Amino acid sequence: MNKDLKKIFIVLALYSLSGGIFYNFQEIWMGENFLSVKTIGSVFSICALLTISMLFICSSLVKKERLKDFTLGLMFTNVIVMLLLYLLNGTGLNIAIKFLIMLDYVIDVEVFACIYPMIAQISKNDKVYAARGLVYSAFFYLGSLITILLINKTIISKITNNTFIFIGCVFLFIAYLVLKKVDLEKYINKSKDDTLIDNRIFLNKVRKDKVTRNYLIFNLMGNISYYCLNGMLLTLIMVGLNKETNEASIFMLIMSIISVLIGIIALKKLTFKNNYINLSIKYMFRSILYLLAFIFNSNIFFLIAIIYTKILSDSYSHVSDAPYINRFKESEQFNFSNLAEECKYLGRAIGTFICAIAVTYSLKYNFLFAFIFGLIALVFAYYSLYLRNKEMEK
């Protein structure tokens, strides 16, 4: 593997490790700072909406040759934000805390959106795209494992949820230092084709492209469905299934580790030639389980549906996402990566809001909404694949 590509993957690993440490108990940390379940859900929904604006603005202003410097600026800013959150713990300054959480969320998403466009300057293919997601997930879950081990009082007595913010901050700063060493400039072709793309022209191109249009609707609906359950999964398991914090965290971690392993197996060994089968394994079966969970209103069906969704969450992105992203040339990668993330986080905002409201009534309603939006997503997933296949035949 190219040495600069290795460095970007190291940055990705450290960045996701930081996120896993920081975010694993973030909902609990917010609760300790006197924020209610509904408030936490509302904050995350607002975060996702703000992210959409940030992604749109950045894709309009950031030139490809400035992408690395832009990412470095975001990462350094986030280090400062995390330090401020660490210092504000227990102060009661909830307005400042909520503002910084929103700022952290927006920056974190934009950093992730920048990673693949940087990778694509060096190597652009579907499997590398999938590897990016698997590396992110693997180290995020490693961060989660670290927090679960450290929170055990028999190991280190002075570790608290607030400590994780500081530890995450350290790993993020190391990632920042590694990225400074990446020589991305030598891979960028500074021709007229690589100048700043007018976002209005790009969006007009997308609007006329049936393949991309249907993929983005699938992306939106699929994320609404997913976050109807996963928008506040730790809280959902604790409140809806009456589990303790430690039980819920360990349960999530085990599922996450299995998810990465299945993702690697799916990428290497379990990708069928017929992509309709690949999509059905991930999306159709989960929708069926959502419907059964709603109908039977049973903890057993709830757990089966949650487990199936979670353990396949890192699989088949090289089929469901990468072919549509890699249709765009390198000079458009950042614009489209941001646009796809905008759809994802709009879906996340809507799904998280539904999740926070539904779980206060009955967990079965989370599954009902997940099923409805999941079914719509499946229709657009099949149709976008059909259009893509027709395009490839030509």
Side-chain angles (χ1 to χ4, degrees), residues 275-276 279 324 380-390:
N275 281 330
Y276 289 103
L279 289 175
Y324 304 99
F380 282 98
Y382 286 152
Y383 189 50
S384 57
L385 176 58
Y386 168 78
L387 293 173
R388 173 68 174 154
N389 288 343
K390 297 293 284 186

Side-chain angles (χ1 to χ4, degrees), residues 227-358:
Y227 285 100
C228 282
L229 295 176
N230 289 270
M232 297 173 63
L233 186 56
L234 182 61
T235 301
L236 185 146
I237 293 171
M238 291 168 60
V239 175
L241 299 177
N242 299 314
K243 300 294 182 183
E244 297 294 329
T245 304
N246 226 27
E247 290 179 308
S249 300
I250 293 170
F251 174 69
M252 286 175 58
L253 179 62
I254 291 171
M255 288 192 298
S256 299
I257 293 170
I258 293 172
S259 173
V260 173
L261 295 175
I262 291 176
I264 294 170
I265 293 169
L267 181 63
K268 298 288 186 181
K269 302 290 183 182
L270 281 180
T271 300
F272 296 90
K273 291 183 179 180
N274 187 332
N275 281 330
Y276 289 103
I277 295 175
N278 297 319
L279 289 175
S280 297
I281 290 171
K282 183 169 182 176
Y283 296 105
M284 185 176 72
F285 290 163
R286 75 161 58 160
S287 294
I288 293 170
L289 290 172
Y290 293 160
L291 180 60
L292 292 174
F294 170 72
I295 292 171
F296 290 101
N297 192 24
S298 160
N299 280 1
I300 293 175
F301 280 97
F302 293 161
L303 281 171
I304 292 171
I306 289 172
I307 289 170
Y308 189 86
T309 300
K310 193 66 179 174
I311 65 174
L312 284 178
S313 60
D314 292 306
S315 300
Y316 297 111
S317 64
H318 60 295
V319 172
S320 61
D321 298 290
Y324 304 99
I325 291 170
N326 285 331
R327 288 175 70 244
F328 290 87
K329 55 190 177 182
E330 286 83 354
S331 59
E332 297 173 326
Q333 280 286 319
F334 184 57
N335 295 71
F336 188 70
S337 182
N338 276 335
L339 180 59
E341 289 295 313
E342 287 171 39
C343 289
K344 174 182 176 180
Y345 280 92
L346 176 58
R348 185 168 184 165
I350 297 169
T352 300
F353 179 76
I354 293 171
C355 180
I357 298 300

Side-chain angles (χ1 to χ4, degrees), residues 103-154:
L103 183 58
D104 163 78
Y105 190 108
V106 169
I107 293 173
D108 179 74
V109 172
E110 185 58 51
V111 170
F112 185 70
C114 292
I115 295 292
Y116 187 68
M118 287 193 291
I119 290 173
Q121 305 307 316
I122 304 170
S123 177
K124 186 180 78 169
N125 67 66
D126 295 350
K127 288 194 173 182
V128 169
Y129 178 88
R132 176 211 63 154
L134 289 170
V135 168
Y136 177 86
S137 295
F139 281 88
F140 189 94
Y141 302 145
L142 176 61
S144 300
L145 175 61
I146 290 171
T147 62
I148 290 172
L149 291 175
L150 291 180
I151 204 68
N152 187 335
K153 301 301 182 182
T154 62

Side-chain angles (χ1 to χ4, degrees), residues 52-293:
I52 296 167
S53 302
M54 175 71 168
L55 289 165
F56 181 80
I57 292 169
C58 291
S59 62
S60 302
L61 298 178
V62 180
K63 293 183 179 180
K64 189 172 72 172
E65 56 265 28
R66 303 296 299 171
L67 188 56
K68 179 187 142 183
D69 292 336
F70 174 67
T71 308
L72 284 169
L74 289 174
M75 293 174 76
F76 188 78
T77 302
N78 218 22
V79 169
I80 302 301
V81 169
M82 290 172 74
L83 281 175
L84 290 174
L85 283 170
Y86 173 75
L87 295 172
L88 286 173
N89 180 59
T91 61
L93 299 174
N94 286 351
I95 294 177
I97 287 172
K98 286 186 281 188
F99 170 76
L100 289 171
I101 286 172
M102 292 177 190
L103 183 58
D104 163 78
Y105 190 108
V106 169
I107 293 173
D108 179 74
V109 172
E110 185 58 51
V111 170
F112 185 70
C114 292
I115 295 292
Y116 187 68
M118 287 193 291
I119 290 173
Q121 305 307 316
I122 304 170
S123 177
K124 186 180 78 169
N125 67 66
D126 295 350
K127 288 194 173 182
V128 169
Y129 178 88
R132 176 211 63 154
L134 289 170
V135 168
Y136 177 86
S137 295
F139 281 88
F140 189 94
Y141 302 145
L142 176 61
S144 300
L145 175 61
I146 290 171
T147 62
I148 290 172
L149 291 175
L150 291 180
I151 204 68
N152 187 335
K153 301 301 182 182
T154 62
I155 298 177
I156 300 177
S157 59
K158 294 185 179 180
I159 290 291
T160 66
N161 291 323
N162 195 48
T163 310
F164 298 139
I165 298 179
F166 183 78
I167 298 173
C169 183
V170 171
F171 280 109
L172 183 60
F173 184 66
I174 297 172
Y176 165 83
L177 295 177
V178 175
L179 183 59
K180 285 180 71 70
K181 299 294 183 180
V182 176
D183 185 10
L184 194 64
E185 289 73 18
K186 67 184 179 184
Y187 302 99
I188 297 175
N189 178 14
K190 296 181 180 179
S191 64
K192 290 182 180 180
D193 184 51
D194 293 323
T195 57
L196 183 66
I197 295 172
D198 188 318
N199 218 32
R200 291 171 297 178
I201 296 173
F202 178 75
L203 289 175
N204 190 49
K205 175 183 176 180
V206 169
R207 184 178 61 82
K208 294 177 180 178
D209 183 353
K210 288 183 69 176
V211 176
T212 299
R213 201 166 64 234
N214 281 277
Y215 163 72
L216 291 174
I217 296 172
F218 152 67
N219 191 2
L220 172 65
M221 295 297 169
N223 277 286
I224 294 175
S225 173
Y226 183 80
Y227 285 100
C228 282
L229 295 176
N230 289 270
M232 297 173 63
L233 186 56
L234 182 61
T235 301
L236 185 146
I237 293 171
M238 291 168 60
V239 175
L241 299 177
N242 299 314
K243 300 294 182 183
E244 297 294 329
T245 304
N246 226 27
E247 290 179 308
S249 300
I250 293 170
F251 174 69
M252 286 175 58
L253 179 62
I254 291 171
M255 288 192 298
S256 299
I257 293 170
I258 293 172
S259 173
V260 173
L261 295 175
I262 291 176
I264 294 170
I265 293 169
L267 181 63
K268 298 288 186 181
K269 302 290 183 182
L270 281 180
T271 300
F272 296 90
K273 291 183 179 180
N274 187 332
N275 281 330
Y276 289 103
I277 295 175
N278 297 319
L279 289 175
S280 297
I281 290 171
K282 183 169 182 176
Y283 296 105
M284 185 176 72
F285 290 163
R286 75 161 58 160
S287 294
I288 293 170
L289 290 172
Y290 293 160
L291 180 60
L292 292 174

